[in-house]
Amino acid sequence: MTLTTTHELPRFGLKGKLAAEWLATQGLQLPQQPNHWCAQDDGSRLLRLGRGEYLVEGDAARRLASAWQDGQVGLYRVPRYDAGFVLNGPDAAERLSEICALDLRPAVVGEQVLMTLAAGISVTLVYEAEGRYRLWCDATYGAYMQATLKQILD
Amino acid sequence: MTLRLPPQPGEWIDRATPVNFTFEGQAYTGYAGDSVTSALWGAGERVLGRSFKYHRPRGLMSLANHDINVMLEDGTAINMRGDVLPLARGMELRAVNTLGGLKGDKYAVLEWMAPLLPAGFYYKAFHKPKALFPFWENVIRRMAGLGVMNPQAPRGEAIKQHRHCDVLVIGAGPAGLSAALTAAKKGVRVILADENARIGGTLGYDHAGQPTALETLARLQSEVASHPNIELLPAHYAAGWYTDHLVPLVGPSGMIKVRAGKVVVAMGAFEQPAVFRNNDLPGVMLGSASQRLIHRYAVKPFQRAVVLAGNDQAQRVVMDLHQAGVEVVAYVDLRPDADCTVIRQLGIPIYLGNCVQEALGKHAVEGVRISRWDGQGHPDPDTSMTIACDGVAVSVGWAPAAALLYQSGCKMRFDDAAQQFVPERLAPGMFAAGRVNGIYGLEAALEDGERAAREALGLATGVARAAETGSSHPWPIVPHTANKNFLDFDEDLQLKDFETAAQESFDNIELMKRFTTVGMGPSQGKHSNMNAIRVLARLRGEPIPKVGSTTARPFFHPVPLGHLAGRTFHPERRTPMHDWHAAHGATFATVGVWQRPAYYGTDKAKAVEAEVKAVRHAVGMIDVSTLGKFEVHGPQAGELLERFYTGHFVNQRVGTTRYALLLDEAGVMLDDGIVARLSNDCYYVTASTSNAATVYREMTRRLQTWGLEATIVNLTGSYGGLNLAGPHSQSLLKLLTDLDLAALANGGVAEGMVAGVQARVINVRFVAELAYEIHAPAQDIARIWLALEEAGRSVGLKPFGTDTQRLLRLEMGHFIIGQDTDGLTNPLEAGLQWVLANDKPFYLGQRSLKLLAEKPVSKRLVGFMLEAPPATLPDECCLVLRAGKIVGRLTSIAQSPTLGQVIGLAYVASEDAAPGSRITIRHQNGRDVVATVVPTPFIGVAP
């Protein structure tokens, strides 16, 4: 099992009724359903966090930040300050089951974005590939979550 | 003496691996795979524990995880059940609950006092005189108890996990195995759990002298082990059922919380003891226990046995004992007409229509006295005879392991033919199979497991096969004038205790349970509830269905506290400047989940005084990143805030801030903060640290309820903040920004660059007359902090913490919601009428406030100064009295370094709210302290 931090990856958050339209015009692929995610051609990830809220992580986030202009009605930027983690290994789901009550089996999670509690705090969790999960939490909880994940992996 | 048998087919022990251990200081050797009890019994030991109340010697009873005769401790762990505790090399074990060791337990003298200690004696004997109750409580607790906890024991590392499955099958006996395989073959995910270390249930030990069932077991084991849809969890017991089929499975290393789509309960049945004098003497054991001893651990239970029968199962026990070389000296059947053809061929003496009146012996069975009886509890003394033996195997009946069915809301009925409770109506998603349904035959159990699984999958609907008749005797209870005929082995309850309870009118099953404590010991009634119900039914002259049964609540089986604790997760939140605070000597305080500097240094009083001085005479800086921070966007953002808070915000000018007060529907103050208008359709809102999540959640909920066109963005974590306060704050900040700070006077807000960072600057006078809050993205806020620290050195800038902040705001006369208010405080009491915009049509809590406004306000929050402060200040929450009556309480108090006075806030009677009034505070030492009501802010108030 390995634990990697991804705190430093660029992220771009967006919210509002025009958010999907704007992201599409920027050339991003969007999940059809709320609370799902999809990978972009450049390896970035786009997470649909609700009906009208999105998080983009990776190089695409930089491009979006450059293209962004304030003051657009129905389109609001969400400043992000996330701690990011990648758990990798055949026991990842089982280890995560110590801190998260949801069913994390790949067949169940699929491409869903799970916004839930883990170890008592709000997290966002996705299954990425065999044995690999990505997890985000507010960076103010970053040290706590990192220590907790290390504890369950040890 | 060793009672170890030659190798038995399917035995659990590994004879190639001897295991040395000690028990009560004496050395023993068993085998890997043994339980502690099997190893000791195999070594010829008979007394393995002492009873709870009378300290009677106890031996092996169920050899399952169902009774507590053998409770052990090793100096670290307590109350380990020897019957299922795996033997390990080097174990140093002792029995719990003894004084001077197991064999010479001095508390055994209590047995002679038994006539003075009937059930419920302590309800009557020790409540007067009241002063002596603690003394008696200590004595009783010391003499009647289980293990003594070692507070120095190292912390365990029990793991709690979550699992999910389509079908959870509890119990891996024939019915459970059949159910699991049936479900798995249909493609669903199955978890199969069993409390035993190995699966198989009765297939592994109930052989009736011919181990043919082992072939069936091997086939099922192989199928289960190789099936990809089945996760097998041996050594895990299901401790309870919770809503939506959440079932905690408790195992050796922790707890697995299973969320199942459907649950099949195939937990079997608990074999029930017979009630006769000395039925707890070591050597009296359940028939199934003797079978487990033989087939699992290859230990001969006795040399010369009497088998007491109340059903046909007893003859299977006889055959197993006979095959193991035990001389069965008598087969005593409570029934007058049992068919004994098979065992008759073995040449065993048969006594039909007889009962065991009593077991004989001091520390172990040396014989039994039997006699004819009428089957209804009336032995014929004229026919009594004594039979020498060293053990009694009892097979008289069963009680279903139906706790989880009860907990899930299943309706049970008493089946007269089977003499057992069986499910009448199962709860949705719950299914039962095997012995809980009263089905005991092997083929029938396999069939019933399959049926239950098919029903669980919606493939069939039907009715479980009828419960089998004759598996339980209706009255396996023999009275005796000398008593010691136990119904409840955990609590040493005798038949006479139930008769006493009924005489005293505790003749309802729930009342009797509480008066006698039947079923309330660690076994939770597994061996006592059924017999207690039979006794109560007879005492009341009613059938068993009229008496009913009790529900064993979750957890129905004891769970180690360490398992419940698991690993401890204490969420902790750190601000972006946390490392700086730590490096600069901050003493941290936990505020909600946040770690915040309380002050800098180790001497609190000195640190706070110096920090206050800096803010009042130079400049100070505090990290306020913990505040709730939200942006509200959209054309109806102002409307949302207008309804949410008590004030006006639609007409608020851009570039200004307003105080925001949040009430609940009852008009109680929930939170406060500020609303800054950044543009026509964007507001920036703050909330208090401890209420940030609540305010965001409630605002989001209200937005959806009201259907307004607005969007809320939560910046609590993604924006940091600091407060720069003191007379030099403006000049210092000016060094780092081009913003017109003078224009921000009286609560202005502006956005611009501060130390090269895009930030929001707000004039907030919470801790000082001149102060600025600077908010910026969390990634950047530390740059502003560091720049201010460097630039501020020349003007005496000091960082300050929350302890100082509390004192500073008190000097400013500001209250804190939660500290100076409680769950009932309304703004009329807190003097906040000026925040209530009652000219608008609606805000949260407005309706309630209008009603409150029609009544006189009985108490008000005011500032005060102590006239002659005592050496120790009154604590917060000390009472405020008026003519000897409580009228309020003190909410904040501190020695103000700025004023040289003790100041505070308190609720006082409305008549005393005017400045100059004198109030009386009842100090925690019981004396009264006088204070004078003064106007706030305190700063500037003449002493």
Side-chain angles (χ1 to χ4, degrees), chain A:
Chain A
M1 288 294 302
T2 58
L3 173 65
T4 313
T5 60
T6 59
H7 308 335
E8 304 307 324
L9 286 177
R11 296 185 185 90
F12 187 89
L14 192 63
K15 193 173 188 180
K17 61 184 179 183
L18 300 179
E21 189 181 317
W22 187 81
L23 287 168
T25 62
Q26 301 302 313
L28 274 78
Q29 299 167 44
L30 274 65
Q32 292 301 307
Q33 292 175 273
N35 301 107
H36 281 68
W37 74 284
C38 60
Q40 304 298 309
D41 293 340
D42 65 353
S44 301
R45 284 158 291 282
L46 190 150
L47 282 67
R48 189 171 174 187
L49 303 176
R51 185 166 292 280
E53 183 169 358
Y54 297 85
L55 165 64
V56 179
E57 181 184 78
D59 289 341
R62 278 203 189 91
R63 284 192 287 110
L64 294 175
S66 302
W68 175 257
Q69 289 181 328
D70 279 330
Q72 304 172 74
V73 174
L75 202 52
Y76 310 105
R77 185 158 178 189
V78 180
R80 303 294 312 193
Y81 184 54
D82 301 89
F85 302 93
V86 177
L87 279 88
N88 206 342
D91 295 336
E94 184 170 348
R95 302 296 176 90
L96 282 169
S97 78
E98 274 199 59
I99 57 171
C100 179
L102 295 186
D103 192 346
L104 299 179
R105 284 175 292 153
V108 177
V109 177
E111 293 177 346
Q112 288 185 83
V113 174
L114 305 177
M115 296 165 74
T116 183
L117 286 180
I121 66 170
S122 296
V123 300
T124 303
L125 186 63
V126 300
Y127 168 72
E128 192 170 50
E130 188 171 346
R132 190 159 78 237
Y133 292 81
R134 283 183 183 269
L135 183 149
W136 296 265
C137 67
D138 191 302
T140 55
Y141 284 114
Y144 161 72
M145 182 50 81
Q146 187 160 352
T148 301
L149 290 173
K150 280 185 71 175
Q151 189 187 359
I152 64 168
L153 295 188
D154 285 344

Side-chain angles (χ1 to χ4, degrees), chain A residues 15-17 53 73-74 76-82 94-105 119-121 138-145 148 151-154, chain B residues 157 159-166 189 567-576 593-594 631 633-635 681 696 709-719 778-779:
Chain A
K15 193 173 188 180
K17 61 184 179 183
E53 183 169 358
V73 174
Y76 310 105
R77 185 158 178 189
V78 180
R80 303 294 312 193
Y81 184 54
D82 301 89
E94 184 170 348
R95 302 296 176 90
L96 282 169
S97 78
E98 274 199 59
I99 57 171
C100 179
L102 295 186
D103 192 346
L104 299 179
R105 284 175 292 153
I121 66 170
D138 191 302
T140 55
Y141 284 114
Y144 161 72
M145 182 50 81
T148 301
Q151 189 187 359
I152 64 168
L153 295 188
D154 285 344
Chain B
E157 276 295 309
I159 291 172
K160 286 194 277 192
Q161 290 182 306
H162 298 85
R163 288 269 217 294
H164 300 77
C165 63
D166 300 306
R189 178 175 156 77
R567 298 184 201 255
T568 45
F569 299 122
H570 294 300
E572 179 185 296
R573 231 173 159 179
R574 296 178 177 178
T575 74
V593 290
W594 288 96
E631 281 177 353
H633 299 274
D681 65 354
Y696 176 67
E709 193 173 347
T711 298
I712 306 166
V713 177
N714 188 351
L715 304 179
T716 299
S718 59
Y719 260 55
Q779 294 90 335

Side-chain angles (χ1 to χ4, degrees), chain B residues 161-224:
Chain B
Q161 290 182 306
H162 298 85
R163 288 269 217 294
H164 300 77
C165 63
D166 300 306
V167 178
L168 169 64
V169 179
I170 307 169
L177 287 166
S178 172
L181 281 166
T182 302
K185 286 173 184 171
K186 294 296 177 189
V188 301
R189 178 175 156 77
V190 176
I191 291 178
L192 174 60
D194 193 281
E195 65 175 327
N196 291 288
R198 298 190 190 186
I199 63 172
T202 53
L203 287 170
Y205 62 83
D206 181 19
H207 296 164
Q210 298 290 329
T212 50
L214 287 176
E215 292 168 19
T216 307
L217 175 58
R219 176 177 58 78
L220 293 172
Q221 265 177 329
S222 168
E223 280 190 63
V224 163

